[in-house]
Amino acid sequence: MNDIIERLVRPEIRALRAYHVPEAGGFVKLDAMENPYAWPEDFKAEWLETLRAVEPNRYPDPQGTELQQALRAAMEIPHEMGLLLGNGSDELIQMLAMTVAAPGRKVLAVEPGFVMYRMIGLFAGMDYVGVPLQAEDFSIDLPATLEAIEREQPALVYLAYPNNPTGNRFDADDMVRIIEAAPGLVIVDEAYAPFTDSSFMGLLGDWPNLLVMRTVSKMGLAGLRLGYLVGPRPWIEEIDKVRLPYNVNVLTQVSATFALRHKAVLDEQTHSIRAERVHLFEALARIPGIHAYPSEANFILVRMPAGTADSVFAGLKERRILIKNLNGAHPMLANCLRLTVGLPQENAALIEALADLVHG
Ligand SMILES: Cc1ncc(COP(=O)(O)O)c(C=O)c1O
């Protein structure tokens, strides 16, 4: 069998390992940028009532018309822009790649960044170009990025705003320079929009190659798998052609529509997360030897004393606290851990354990 696999599976796919999600049962889960707050009971009861109307024997609305209307209203999507729904924004990244992929076509992103830009580009047969951010504060290295764009002529450029896993928000003027220099599409990925006050949504239409991508995952609906892409209608119409029919299932359509119509409940939760982020950052800053990077997302990147990240990660795991170990993920992330902002008591437990593991 191995010889057939070697003959048929592309070498770049064989070289990969499948996306690994650690077993998290019984853990304080601070690894995946989820909203930790449960839904209030009365809210949950009302939601369950709306599910009564669902007909699981029927295919869902292929366009998700009601959900699109709810999103447009809740997210202030400019009415002249097109809107495309995906099974998570991961699926939108896949659709974008499938729309433009051809031998030699390139996808460019700044690094360290969200790994799926590179992975999905690779799945679609595109070449990937990573441009390092500036080491001291993870800001964009504008001359290097513009030079790479000029040299590589990428079909797709991704800028996460704020960035994962670094948590910072790039300079908007730098982003504009990149949009103006890019020969292809620039996708501003606003996955962490609920945790910052800045957005490119209002600038859509100023440039023909700008798209804004978002997800409902981080605002509290990660289990539903829903992402959305907004941009000039001619672009959205082309990308819609590679979308699989019925890509957003009926339970997601109904549940997300319900949640978006009651967005105040989720807004209250994301505001609490923002307030907790401040407390967590201050507490981290008080632990000698740990450097916390400023964040406009729902997580904080920390650099640990040299040589300790792996053992601290393991020590937290022993205490049933799961975070993301980024040591080894990228040269600029040596000794780094990423901590999702959790409930106040979860953050307190994390801080106590970290202080103990570093200095205990
Ligand atoms: C920058 C960024 N974009 C997109 C995603 C994917 O989100 P979704 O859950 O919608 O697939 C993530 C998830 O971590 C992310 O960090």
Side-chain angles (χ1 to χ4, degrees):
M1 188 160 66
N2 276 353
D3 55 327
I4 308 180
I5 290 177
E6 275 186 32
R7 191 155 38 81
L8 288 186
V9 181
R10 286 149 49 200
E12 63 271 28
I13 302 294
R14 262 188 287 136
L16 295 174
R17 273 177 294 140
Y19 192 82
H20 173 68
V21 178
E23 178 56 47
F27 277 84
V28 170
K29 205 168 171 307
L30 303 176
D31 64 327
M33 289 83 93
E34 290 148 332
N35 172 342
Y37 292 95
W39 283 9
E41 274 310 317
D42 55 340
F43 189 62
K44 212 178 219 174
E46 211 184 314
W47 163 59
L48 289 173
E49 204 47 48
T50 66
L51 293 182
R52 280 184 181 282
V54 169
E55 294 184 306
N57 55 317
R58 304 285 179 199
Y59 283 106
D61 174 349
Q63 311 298 336
T65 314
E66 263 198 72
L67 174 53
Q68 288 216 18
Q69 284 165 359
L71 271 172
R72 281 185 178 277
M75 302 301 181
E76 294 171 14
I77 295 172
H79 74 273
E80 69 279 14
M81 290 295 140
L83 173 61
L84 182 65
L85 308 184
N87 188 334
S89 41
D90 285 345
E91 196 197 25
L92 293 166
I93 299 171
Q94 190 182 44
M95 286 188 226
L96 282 155
M98 286 195 297
T99 305
V100 301
R105 289 271 172 88
K106 289 173 181 158
V107 50
L108 183 146
V110 288
E111 289 188 341
F114 184 46
V115 291
M116 294 313 282
Y117 308 143
R118 177 174 62 83
M119 298 284 281
I120 292 172
L122 196 130
F123 301 160
M126 296 179 79
D127 295 334
Y128 172 78
V129 182
V131 184
L133 294 167
Q134 310 221 58
E136 62 278 12
D137 61 356
F138 298 117
S139 60
I140 290 175
D141 183 340
L142 190 62
T145 309
L146 294 178
E147 198 265 325
I149 288 172
E150 173 68 24
R151 187 182 65 240
E152 307 285 353
Q153 296 290 301
L156 301 174
V157 174
Y158 283 98
L159 294 167
Y161 188 76
N163 191 41
N164 172 21
T166 57
N168 60 312
R169 191 168 50 75
F170 300 136
D171 182 90
D173 292 334
D174 287 352
M175 309 244 304
V176 167
R177 293 283 299 278
I178 290 170
I179 295 165
E180 290 181 340
L185 283 173
V186 177
I187 301 100
V188 175
D189 180 351
E190 298 189 348
Y192 298 96
F195 311 101
T196 181
D197 296 324
S198 302
S199 170
F200 272 69
M201 189 71 89
L203 298 179
L204 281 169
D206 285 7
W207 304 275
N209 60 336
L210 171 65
L211 302 177
V212 169
M213 185 170 73
R214 295 239 186 116
T215 175
V216 300
S217 295
K218 320 294 172 181
M219 66 188 273
L221 305 174
L224 297 185
R225 307 302 297 132
L226 177 68
Y228 56 103
L229 186 67
V230 188
R233 286 183 191 269
W235 267 120
I236 296 296
E237 280 162 21
E238 290 304 314
I239 301 160
D240 190 36
K241 293 176 190 173
V242 304
R243 184 174 61 83
L244 292 177
Y246 314 115
N247 63 325
V248 179
N249 75 74
V250 66
L251 293 176
T252 296
Q253 290 194 25
V254 170
S255 304
T257 302
F258 168 81
L260 290 164
R261 287 186 180 147
H262 301 80
K263 187 164 161 282
V265 175
L266 300 176
D267 286 347
E268 203 182 311
Q269 297 180 341
T270 53
H271 281 123
S272 300
I273 294 168
R274 285 170 77 149
E276 268 307 303
R277 176 179 70 197
V278 176
H279 299 147
L280 181 60
F281 186 85
E282 287 169 357
L284 288 165
R286 284 196 292 271
I287 304 177
I290 295 185
H291 177 78
Y293 290 89
S295 168
E296 294 201 25
N298 61 342
F299 59 86
I300 295 176
L301 183 76
V302 292
R303 202 179 295 273
M304 305 301 292
T308 65
D310 293 348
S311 61
V312 169
F313 174 74
L316 288 171
K317 211 166 165 187
E318 261 170 41
R319 293 168 195 226
R320 313 302 286 171
I321 299 175
L322 194 61
I323 58 155
K324 180 82 175 174
N325 185 3
L326 293 168
N327 185 38
H330 187 277
M332 289 167 78
L333 296 173
N335 306 311
C336 284
L337 304 173
R338 189 188 62 199
L339 318 171
T340 300
V341 180
L343 300 169
Q345 64 271 27
E346 293 176 333
N347 301 332
L350 172 68
I351 287 294
E352 193 187 320
L354 274 176
D356 199 35
L357 288 163
V358 176
H359 297 289

